[in-house]
Amino acid sequence: MKEKIIAVSEFFVYWYLIIFPFTIAIAPAFTTIAISFLFTFYFLKKFLKKEAFYAKSPIDAPFLLLVIVSAVSMLNTIDYTASIRGIFKLVQNALIYLIFIESMKDRLHAKRIVVSVILGASLASFDAVWQVVFGHDFIRWHEPILNIGLLRATAAFPHANVLGVYLSPLAPLAFGIARYYAKGKMRLVAWALAILTATGLVLTLSRPAGLAFFIGLVIIAIVKKDRIVVWSLLLLLAIAPFIAPKSIKEWARSVHYNPVIFMCNYDRMSIYRNAVNMIKHHPWIGVGVNTFSKNYVTYKLPEPENAKTGVVYAHNNFLHMAGEIGLLGLAAFLWLLARLFKACVKNYKSAKDADLKLLALLLTVSLCAFLINGLTETSLYYSRVAVLFWYLAGFALAIVNAGLFAYEIL
């Protein structure tokens, strides 16, 4: 009986890792259920097998420091309930990447995960196209939003920018699979899904998402020495000002073609200024984990006439993090990123198989795209999509533990 329960638990952990990214495209409830079952079956298996509830990874030490600093930041919190929820989210993120590292089995498992990731992005993108054409998405019946006279797709997500956060790391992955991996008839299917995913991203009209996608493609093309893609991207960059919608051209003219204002707008610039003020007042341990929005009004400076902000996130992962858990917490996260990307680069360099080398490259680029988007979005703090970063980090680290590479990362 015990062996059967262990086998069933391992079966569900295996498949929940596969379907997890697909659930993000549908609704947060599905993702929450997937996470709950994933954790339940994982711990049940570990308990019955009498194994330690821990899997080693290169980012363990910085992540632990991140949790410690976050806990210490509660000395300044104005809402202990919110801060405890913040700590809980950190623990959840750690479990996601640790379970992934230990539970990914083999190349077939990795392939199925990639397929699920791309299908989830394709579903969200098809929903975005449907929403713009018919006036509502078919999953949650959301209407598109209207900005400067243009419809922006949200699909089943709460905002167009959140949909952009979800698609920006996955669109380069879909493109890479279509361009460099898929063969025969499957190549047509892969290209159709890649184009669909890119279309969904474009329909968000999210500037940070578009920038992240573009830079991701540039990195892939340069590493792969793909001159056709490089020149195509340069051509697209050259003609973009001419093919952009009229309202976008007019808005760019209204901000005097200032690239910083064009990407961030006046509201975000004001938020950044206020976030820096928050950091100045509590530089080392911040105002308390998961309380940026609750403290924002307290540290809000007089705003210029062309900016108006309310209770908001920082629209920048790093400023938001420094505001909540201080420069010590930000340093811990930067250390984590350094260890993570060091491992990713090592994966790429050590891979002997061309397919595994491509997988290592695409996962690295996906993580980069997520972080690039996070320069003007608080992507690590949108609960709907923040889990995607830790999922991709776990995937990138798991390919070593699954025996897909011959070297030890620790």
Side-chain angles (χ1 to χ4, degrees), residues 43-87:
F43 284 117
L44 178 60
K45 177 197 70 170
K46 299 291 282 185
F47 175 77
L48 293 176
K49 294 177 74 173
K50 297 180 179 179
E51 294 178 346
F53 297 97
Y54 180 69
K56 292 182 179 180
S57 86
I59 64 174
D60 291 343
F63 195 95
L64 179 60
L65 179 59
L66 185 66
V67 173
I68 292 173
V69 176
S70 297
V72 173
S73 76
M74 291 176 64
L75 292 172
N76 291 335
T77 189
I78 61 172
D79 189 333
Y80 284 101
T81 301
S83 290
I84 291 172
R85 284 199 303 268
I87 297 293

Short mmCIF file of all heavy atoms in Angstrom, two decimals, residues 43-87:
data_model
loop_
_atom_site.label_atom_id
_atom_site.label_comp_id
_atom_site.label_asym_id
_atom_site.label_seq_id
_atom_site.Cartn_x
_atom_site.Cartn_y
_atom_site.Cartn_z
N PHE A 43 5.32 16.43 -0.59
CA PHE A 43 5.63 16.20 0.81
C PHE A 43 5.14 14.82 1.27
O PHE A 43 5.76 14.19 2.14
CB PHE A 43 5.04 17.31 1.68
CG PHE A 43 5.81 18.58 1.63
CD1 PHE A 43 5.26 19.75 1.13
CD2 PHE A 43 7.13 18.62 2.07
CE1 PHE A 43 5.98 20.92 1.08
CE2 PHE A 43 7.86 19.79 2.03
CZ PHE A 43 7.29 20.95 1.52
N LEU A 44 4.03 14.37 0.70
CA LEU A 44 3.55 13.02 1.02
C LEU A 44 4.57 11.98 0.59
O LEU A 44 4.89 11.05 1.35
CB LEU A 44 2.20 12.77 0.35
CG LEU A 44 1.58 11.37 0.56
CD1 LEU A 44 1.34 11.12 2.05
CD2 LEU A 44 0.29 11.24 -0.24
N LYS A 45 5.08 12.15 -0.61
CA LYS A 45 6.10 11.23 -1.12
C LYS A 45 7.35 11.26 -0.24
O LYS A 45 7.90 10.22 0.13
CB LYS A 45 6.46 11.61 -2.56
CG LYS A 45 7.57 10.78 -3.17
CD LYS A 45 8.15 11.46 -4.41
CE LYS A 45 8.94 12.69 -4.03
NZ LYS A 45 9.72 13.24 -5.17
N LYS A 46 7.81 12.46 0.10
CA LYS A 46 9.01 12.60 0.91
C LYS A 46 8.81 11.98 2.31
O LYS A 46 9.73 11.34 2.84
CB LYS A 46 9.39 14.07 1.05
CG LYS A 46 9.69 14.77 -0.27
CD LYS A 46 10.97 14.29 -0.90
CE LYS A 46 12.18 14.87 -0.26
NZ LYS A 46 13.42 14.48 -0.95
N PHE A 47 7.62 12.17 2.87
CA PHE A 47 7.34 11.62 4.19
C PHE A 47 7.34 10.10 4.18
O PHE A 47 7.96 9.46 5.04
CB PHE A 47 5.98 12.15 4.68
CG PHE A 47 5.54 11.56 5.99
CD1 PHE A 47 6.10 12.01 7.18
CD2 PHE A 47 4.57 10.58 6.03
CE1 PHE A 47 5.70 11.46 8.40
CE2 PHE A 47 4.17 10.03 7.24
CZ PHE A 47 4.73 10.47 8.43
N LEU A 48 6.67 9.52 3.19
CA LEU A 48 6.58 8.06 3.12
C LEU A 48 7.93 7.42 2.80
O LEU A 48 8.23 6.32 3.27
CB LEU A 48 5.55 7.64 2.07
CG LEU A 48 4.09 7.99 2.41
CD1 LEU A 48 3.17 7.63 1.26
CD2 LEU A 48 3.65 7.28 3.69
N LYS A 49 8.75 8.12 2.02
CA LYS A 49 10.08 7.59 1.68
C LYS A 49 11.12 7.94 2.74
O LYS A 49 12.28 7.53 2.64
CB LYS A 49 10.52 8.13 0.31
CG LYS A 49 9.64 7.63 -0.83
CD LYS A 49 10.05 8.23 -2.17
CE LYS A 49 11.33 7.63 -2.68
NZ LYS A 49 11.63 8.09 -4.07
N LYS A 50 10.69 8.72 3.73
CA LYS A 50 11.57 9.14 4.83
C LYS A 50 12.81 9.85 4.31
O LYS A 50 13.93 9.61 4.76
CB LYS A 50 11.95 7.95 5.69
CG LYS A 50 10.76 7.29 6.37
CD LYS A 50 11.19 6.11 7.23
CE LYS A 50 9.96 5.49 7.91
NZ LYS A 50 10.33 4.32 8.75
N GLU A 51 12.58 10.74 3.35
CA GLU A 51 13.67 11.52 2.75
C GLU A 51 13.67 12.94 3.31
O GLU A 51 12.62 13.45 3.75
CB GLU A 51 13.51 11.59 1.23
CG GLU A 51 13.67 10.25 0.53
CD GLU A 51 13.48 10.36 -0.97
OE1 GLU A 51 12.96 11.40 -1.42
OE2 GLU A 51 13.83 9.41 -1.69
N ALA A 52 14.81 13.58 3.28
CA ALA A 52 14.92 14.97 3.72
C ALA A 52 14.12 15.87 2.79
O ALA A 52 14.12 15.67 1.58
CB ALA A 52 16.38 15.40 3.75
N PHE A 53 13.43 16.87 3.38
CA PHE A 53 12.61 17.78 2.58
C PHE A 53 13.48 18.91 2.03
O PHE A 53 13.25 20.08 2.31
CB PHE A 53 11.47 18.35 3.42
CG PHE A 53 10.53 17.31 3.90
CD1 PHE A 53 10.64 16.77 5.17
CD2 PHE A 53 9.51 16.86 3.09
CE1 PHE A 53 9.75 15.81 5.63
CE2 PHE A 53 8.61 15.89 3.52
CZ PHE A 53 8.74 15.35 4.79
N TYR A 54 14.48 18.54 1.26
CA TYR A 54 15.40 19.57 0.79
C TYR A 54 16.16 19.09 -0.44
O TYR A 54 16.60 17.95 -0.50
CB TYR A 54 16.39 19.92 1.89
CG TYR A 54 17.40 20.98 1.51
CD1 TYR A 54 16.99 22.30 1.33
CD2 TYR A 54 18.73 20.65 1.32
CE1 TYR A 54 17.91 23.27 0.98
CE2 TYR A 54 19.66 21.62 0.96
CZ TYR A 54 19.24 22.92 0.79
OH TYR A 54 20.14 23.88 0.43
N ALA A 55 16.30 19.96 -1.42
CA ALA A 55 17.11 19.67 -2.61
C ALA A 55 18.10 20.81 -2.79
O ALA A 55 17.71 21.97 -2.77
CB ALA A 55 16.22 19.54 -3.85
N LYS A 56 19.34 20.49 -2.95
CA LYS A 56 20.38 21.51 -3.04
C LYS A 56 20.32 22.23 -4.39
O LYS A 56 20.00 21.64 -5.42
CB LYS A 56 21.76 20.89 -2.85
CG LYS A 56 22.02 20.38 -1.45
CD LYS A 56 23.43 19.82 -1.32
CE LYS A 56 23.70 19.33 0.10
NZ LYS A 56 25.07 18.79 0.24
N SER A 57 20.66 23.52 -4.36
CA SER A 57 20.75 24.30 -5.60
C SER A 57 21.77 25.42 -5.40
O SER A 57 22.08 25.78 -4.26
CB SER A 57 19.39 24.87 -5.99
OG SER A 57 19.15 26.09 -5.34
N PRO A 58 22.26 26.03 -6.47
CA PRO A 58 23.24 27.11 -6.36
C PRO A 58 22.69 28.38 -5.72
O PRO A 58 23.46 29.23 -5.28
CB PRO A 58 23.65 27.37 -7.82
CG PRO A 58 23.20 26.19 -8.57
CD PRO A 58 22.02 25.64 -7.86
N ILE A 59 21.35 28.52 -5.66
CA ILE A 59 20.79 29.78 -5.16
C ILE A 59 20.26 29.65 -3.73
O ILE A 59 19.60 30.56 -3.24
CB ILE A 59 19.68 30.31 -6.10
CG1 ILE A 59 18.50 29.35 -6.16
CG2 ILE A 59 20.25 30.58 -7.48
CD1 ILE A 59 17.32 29.90 -6.96
N ASP A 60 20.54 28.53 -3.08
CA ASP A 60 20.01 28.32 -1.73
C ASP A 60 20.49 29.38 -0.73
O ASP A 60 19.69 29.94 0.02
CB ASP A 60 20.41 26.93 -1.22
CG ASP A 60 19.71 25.82 -1.99
OD1 ASP A 60 18.72 26.12 -2.66
OD2 ASP A 60 20.17 24.68 -1.91
N ALA A 61 21.81 29.62 -0.71
CA ALA A 61 22.37 30.56 0.28
C ALA A 61 21.82 31.97 0.10
O ALA A 61 21.34 32.58 1.07
CB ALA A 61 23.90 30.56 0.21
N PRO A 62 21.83 32.53 -1.13
CA PRO A 62 21.26 33.87 -1.27
C PRO A 62 19.76 33.92 -1.02
O PRO A 62 19.25 34.92 -0.48
CB PRO A 62 21.60 34.26 -2.72
CG PRO A 62 21.92 32.99 -3.41
CD PRO A 62 22.49 32.09 -2.37
N PHE A 63 19.05 32.83 -1.36
CA PHE A 63 17.61 32.83 -1.10
C PHE A 63 17.35 32.81 0.40
O PHE A 63 16.45 33.51 0.89
CB PHE A 63 16.93 31.63 -1.76
CG PHE A 63 15.43 31.76 -1.84
CD1 PHE A 63 14.83 32.25 -2.98
CD2 PHE A 63 14.63 31.45 -0.75
CE1 PHE A 63 13.44 32.40 -3.05
CE2 PHE A 63 13.26 31.59 -0.81
CZ PHE A 63 12.66 32.07 -1.96
N LEU A 64 18.13 32.02 1.14
CA LEU A 64 17.98 31.99 2.59
C LEU A 64 18.26 33.37 3.19
O LEU A 64 17.53 33.84 4.08
CB LEU A 64 18.93 30.96 3.20
CG LEU A 64 18.92 30.84 4.73
CD1 LEU A 64 17.52 30.46 5.22
CD2 LEU A 64 19.96 29.83 5.20
N LEU A 65 19.29 34.04 2.69
CA LEU A 65 19.58 35.40 3.15
C LEU A 65 18.43 36.34 2.83
O LEU A 65 18.07 37.21 3.64
CB LEU A 65 20.88 35.91 2.51
CG LEU A 65 21.31 37.33 2.89
CD1 LEU A 65 21.51 37.45 4.40
CD2 LEU A 65 22.59 37.72 2.14
N LEU A 66 17.83 36.17 1.65
CA LEU A 66 16.68 36.98 1.25
C LEU A 66 15.52 36.81 2.24
O LEU A 66 14.88 37.78 2.64
CB LEU A 66 16.24 36.59 -0.16
CG LEU A 66 15.12 37.41 -0.82
CD1 LEU A 66 15.58 38.83 -1.07
CD2 LEU A 66 14.69 36.75 -2.13
N VAL A 67 15.28 35.57 2.64
CA VAL A 67 14.21 35.29 3.60
C VAL A 67 14.54 35.90 4.96
O VAL A 67 13.68 36.50 5.62
CB VAL A 67 13.98 33.78 3.73
CG1 VAL A 67 12.98 33.48 4.85
CG2 VAL A 67 13.48 33.19 2.42
N ILE A 68 15.80 35.78 5.40
CA ILE A 68 16.21 36.31 6.70
C ILE A 68 16.04 37.83 6.74
O ILE A 68 15.49 38.39 7.69
CB ILE A 68 17.66 35.92 7.02
CG1 ILE A 68 17.76 34.41 7.25
CG2 ILE A 68 18.19 36.68 8.23
CD1 ILE A 68 19.18 33.90 7.40
N VAL A 69 16.52 38.51 5.69
CA VAL A 69 16.40 39.97 5.66
C VAL A 69 14.93 40.38 5.61
O VAL A 69 14.52 41.36 6.23
CB VAL A 69 17.17 40.56 4.46
CG1 VAL A 69 16.96 42.07 4.37
CG2 VAL A 69 18.66 40.25 4.56
N SER A 70 14.13 39.62 4.86
CA SER A 70 12.70 39.91 4.79
C SER A 70 12.06 39.79 6.16
O SER A 70 11.21 40.61 6.54
CB SER A 70 12.01 38.96 3.80
OG SER A 70 12.51 39.14 2.49
N ALA A 71 12.46 38.77 6.91
CA ALA A 71 11.92 38.59 8.26
C ALA A 71 12.36 39.75 9.17
O ALA A 71 11.57 40.28 9.95
CB ALA A 71 12.39 37.25 8.83
N VAL A 72 13.62 40.15 9.05
CA VAL A 72 14.13 41.26 9.86
C VAL A 72 13.41 42.56 9.51
O VAL A 72 13.17 43.42 10.38
CB VAL A 72 15.65 41.41 9.67
CG1 VAL A 72 16.17 42.68 10.37
CG2 VAL A 72 16.39 40.19 10.22
N SER A 73 13.04 42.72 8.24
CA SER A 73 12.36 43.95 7.82
C SER A 73 11.03 44.15 8.53
O SER A 73 10.49 45.26 8.58
CB SER A 73 12.12 43.93 6.30
OG SER A 73 11.05 43.06 5.95
N MET A 74 10.49 43.07 9.10
CA MET A 74 9.23 43.18 9.83
C MET A 74 9.35 44.05 11.07
O MET A 74 8.33 44.45 11.65
CB MET A 74 8.72 41.79 10.20
CG MET A 74 8.27 40.97 8.98
SD MET A 74 7.76 39.28 9.41
CE MET A 74 6.33 39.59 10.43
N LEU A 75 10.59 44.37 11.46
CA LEU A 75 10.78 45.30 12.58
C LEU A 75 10.19 46.67 12.25
O LEU A 75 9.80 47.43 13.15
CB LEU A 75 12.27 45.44 12.89
CG LEU A 75 12.97 44.20 13.47
CD1 LEU A 75 14.48 44.44 13.53
CD2 LEU A 75 12.41 43.88 14.86
N ASN A 76 10.11 46.99 10.94
CA ASN A 76 9.59 48.29 10.52
C ASN A 76 8.18 48.22 9.94
O ASN A 76 7.64 49.24 9.51
CB ASN A 76 10.51 48.92 9.46
CG ASN A 76 11.85 49.33 10.02
OD1 ASN A 76 11.97 49.60 11.21
ND2 ASN A 76 12.86 49.40 9.16
N THR A 77 7.60 47.03 9.91
CA THR A 77 6.32 46.89 9.21
C THR A 77 5.19 47.61 9.94
O THR A 77 5.21 47.75 11.17
CB THR A 77 5.95 45.40 9.05
OG1 THR A 77 4.80 45.30 8.18
CG2 THR A 77 5.64 44.75 10.38
N ILE A 78 4.23 48.05 9.13
CA ILE A 78 3.02 48.65 9.71
C ILE A 78 1.85 47.68 9.61
O ILE A 78 0.74 48.00 10.04
CB ILE A 78 2.66 49.97 9.01
CG1 ILE A 78 2.38 49.74 7.52
CG2 ILE A 78 3.76 51.01 9.20
CD1 ILE A 78 1.84 50.95 6.79
N ASP A 79 2.10 46.50 9.04
CA ASP A 79 1.03 45.51 8.88
C ASP A 79 1.66 44.11 8.97
O ASP A 79 2.16 43.59 7.98
CB ASP A 79 0.31 45.70 7.55
CG ASP A 79 -0.93 44.84 7.42
OD1 ASP A 79 -0.98 43.77 8.05
OD2 ASP A 79 -1.84 45.22 6.65
N TYR A 80 1.63 43.51 10.16
CA TYR A 80 2.25 42.21 10.36
C TYR A 80 1.56 41.12 9.53
O TYR A 80 2.23 40.19 9.04
CB TYR A 80 2.22 41.84 11.84
CG TYR A 80 3.25 42.58 12.65
CD1 TYR A 80 2.88 43.68 13.42
CD2 TYR A 80 4.58 42.20 12.64
CE1 TYR A 80 3.82 44.39 14.17
CE2 TYR A 80 5.53 42.90 13.38
CZ TYR A 80 5.15 43.99 14.13
OH TYR A 80 6.09 44.68 14.85
N THR A 81 0.26 41.23 9.35
CA THR A 81 -0.46 40.23 8.56
C THR A 81 0.04 40.23 7.12
O THR A 81 0.31 39.17 6.53
CB THR A 81 -1.97 40.50 8.59
OG1 THR A 81 -2.43 40.47 9.94
CG2 THR A 81 -2.71 39.46 7.77
N ALA A 82 0.18 41.42 6.53
CA ALA A 82 0.67 41.52 5.16
C ALA A 82 2.10 41.01 5.06
O ALA A 82 2.46 40.33 4.09
CB ALA A 82 0.59 42.97 4.68
N SER A 83 2.93 41.33 6.03
CA SER A 83 4.33 40.90 6.00
C SER A 83 4.45 39.39 6.15
O SER A 83 5.29 38.75 5.50
CB SER A 83 5.13 41.61 7.09
OG SER A 83 5.28 42.98 6.78
N ILE A 84 3.63 38.80 6.99
CA ILE A 84 3.64 37.34 7.13
C ILE A 84 3.23 36.68 5.82
O ILE A 84 3.82 35.66 5.42
CB ILE A 84 2.72 36.91 8.29
CG1 ILE A 84 3.33 37.35 9.63
CG2 ILE A 84 2.50 35.40 8.29
CD1 ILE A 84 2.42 37.15 10.81
N ARG A 85 2.26 37.28 5.13
CA ARG A 85 1.87 36.76 3.81
C ARG A 85 3.05 36.86 2.85
O ARG A 85 3.25 35.97 2.00
CB ARG A 85 0.67 37.54 3.26
CG ARG A 85 -0.66 37.16 3.89
CD ARG A 85 -1.82 37.59 3.00
NE ARG A 85 -1.80 39.01 2.71
CZ ARG A 85 -2.43 39.93 3.41
NH1 ARG A 85 -3.13 39.57 4.48
NH2 ARG A 85 -2.38 41.20 3.07
N GLY A 86 3.82 37.95 2.96
CA GLY A 86 4.99 38.11 2.11
C GLY A 86 6.02 37.03 2.34
O GLY A 86 6.61 36.50 1.39
N ILE A 87 6.26 36.70 3.61
CA ILE A 87 7.20 35.62 3.94
C ILE A 87 6.67 34.29 3.39
O ILE A 87 7.43 33.47 2.85
CB ILE A 87 7.40 35.51 5.47
CG1 ILE A 87 8.04 36.80 6.01
CG2 ILE A 87 8.25 34.31 5.80
CD1 ILE A 87 9.45 37.03 5.55
#
